[in-house]
Amino acid sequence: MIKELNLQHVRDKEAMILQEVWRHNLHEELNLISELRRSCNFVFVDTEFPGFLKPAPHRAPREDTYSALKYNVDRMKLVQVGITLSDSKRFFTWQFNLKDFDPEVDNCSKDSIEFLKRNGIDFCKNGKDGVSAAVLSKGLTEKLIRGCEGLRWVTFHGLYDLAYLIKIVYKMPLPETLNGFLGLVRELFGAMVFDVKYMAKECDARFAEAGLLKLSRMLEINWKGTSRQAGRDSLLTAMVFWEMKKRFADFNEEAHAGALYELEEHARDESVNVATTSYDRVAPVRVSRGPGSVPFGYAMLPSPSSMPPHGYPPVAVGYCPPPYGYWLAPGPFFYAPPQ
């Protein structure tokens, strides 16, 4: 386990470690994430959730795909979040087990619940020892997302992974429109968001319909056991990504930034639109999410005319003293002039 290694070993040695995270070790592991994100700037994300209430038809129009995604994500709760930090030689994986979902009460697909049980998810233990989504979102925002300008976020067929993370961070239903959703992806994670399933299709037509496990076998990755838990799937996504980068000489992930499988060029175009949002600089200001105020160097506040059409509270882009640097954080915020 990561906690059994001293940090110098973690930084200097090749490693592949998977850590289960429960309520009792959450803060310790989040602190390690905060340390490791400085040297491992690729973040591979996966989630497990209780199936689909409204499946989208295969190759449906983009708007129908998003309509089904919103319907499902708004009505269901996360089961697990998997995060792998990597720099191609080292892989550090956390599997966050969430307590909020109760298969006896909450919306779910019964077939999906049985499938998750067969693959090792213990819902009783999750309910007893797991982490609440509210606590996890606060921890991830403070220890990973805030100050993330240098991070690259990687998923595999990741629309639902990104949507569930947006839901728990903003604590609101998803935006009504696809454009609004893509605006939030850009605001929360930045421009460097990638989908390995889309990139695999671009590398080799044989990979077009392959799932994660099948793709790993096609790439001859030495993977033991199954996947279908969030931490393990985020780790396998990292291994597939680096293997493709090694095998394909013309592999350039930046050419596919913002392109998500099932949305492709639409997602990339919308990311560019949001990236050109203009900001007004206010220096200095005090920003507060509650009764107290936290001063920092300056804040960059979106001009009302340039806000993306998602209808969410404003997002502040600010600068804090090191190690945080620039950061994005969802509102609502209360602004007060400097004193």
Side-chain angles (χ1 to χ4, degrees), residues 50 67 85-86 115 120 124 186 193 217 239 270 272 300 314:
S67 176
L85 298 183
S86 177
F115 178 78
C124 291
R186 175 63 176 82
V193 176
R217 291 168 178 162
M239 296 172 71
E270 291 303 327
V272 171
M300 298 169 65

Side-chain angles (χ1 to χ4, degrees), residues 70-276:
K70 174 175 168 56
Y71 184 93
N72 290 312
V73 173
D74 284 353
R75 289 164 175 79
M76 292 194 293
K77 300 175 181 178
L78 272 175
V79 175
Q80 282 183 336
V81 175
I83 291 176
T84 294
L85 298 183
S86 177
D87 61 2
S88 80
K89 294 183 178 180
R90 302 175 302 164
F91 301 80
F92 304 108
T93 301
W94 291 265
Q95 186 159 277
F96 297 90
N97 300 283
L98 300 182
K99 64 181 291 185
D100 306 88
F101 173 71
D102 182 346
E104 301 298 324
V105 177
D106 295 314
N107 290 326
C108 64
S109 161
K110 298 301 182 184
D111 289 342
S112 295
I113 296 306
E114 293 305 315
F115 178 78
L116 292 173
K117 287 179 179 178
R118 289 196 300 271
N119 284 277
I121 293 181
D122 185 338
F123 291 101
C124 291
K125 182 173 176 58
N126 280 14
K128 179 183 177 182
D129 300 325
V131 180
S132 74
V135 172
L136 177 61
S137 68
K138 182 177 186 295
L140 290 179
T141 300
E142 292 177 353
K143 301 297 185 179
L144 181 62
I145 297 174
R146 183 175 296 171
C148 71
E149 285 70 20
L151 296 182
R152 296 175 176 231
W153 298 81
V154 189
T155 67
F156 185 92
H157 203 170
L159 272 177
Y160 275 82
D161 303 319
L162 298 174
Y164 272 107
L165 290 178
I166 284 172
K167 175 186 175 180
I168 68 171
V169 168
Y170 283 89
K171 301 177 180 64
M172 292 176 67
L174 294 181
E176 293 296 330
T177 66
L178 174 58
N179 287 358
F181 170 73
L182 295 173
L184 284 187
V185 171
R186 175 63 176 82
E187 286 183 357
L188 195 57
F189 302 108
M192 296 291 105
V193 176
F194 307 96
D195 192 319
V196 171
K197 187 172 178 66
Y198 170 74
M199 290 191 287
K201 179 184 70 172
E202 295 295 297
C203 287
D204 192 322
R206 295 176 303 154
F207 299 157
E209 300 300 325
L212 180 59
L213 191 57
K214 181 177 180 180
L215 180 56
S216 71
R217 291 168 178 162
M218 294 173 76
L219 292 169
E220 300 176 318
I221 291 173
N222 182 23
W223 178 259
K224 296 180 181 179
T226 60
S227 52
R228 304 315 305 170
Q229 288 201 34
R232 292 178 63 82
D233 280 356
S234 73
L235 174 57
L236 187 55
T237 300
M239 296 172 71
V240 166
F241 174 87
W242 292 118
E243 183 64 25
M244 288 198 306
K245 196 170 178 68
K246 181 173 70 175
R247 287 196 182 203
F248 297 97
D250 58 348
F251 183 90
N252 175 18
E253 69 270 11
E254 291 190 6
H256 305 303
L260 303 174
Y261 189 81
E262 293 185 297
L263 299 182
E264 272 90 20
E265 296 304 319
H266 182 78
R268 178 153 39 195
D269 292 345
E270 291 303 327
S271 291
V272 171
N273 290 343
V274 177
T276 59

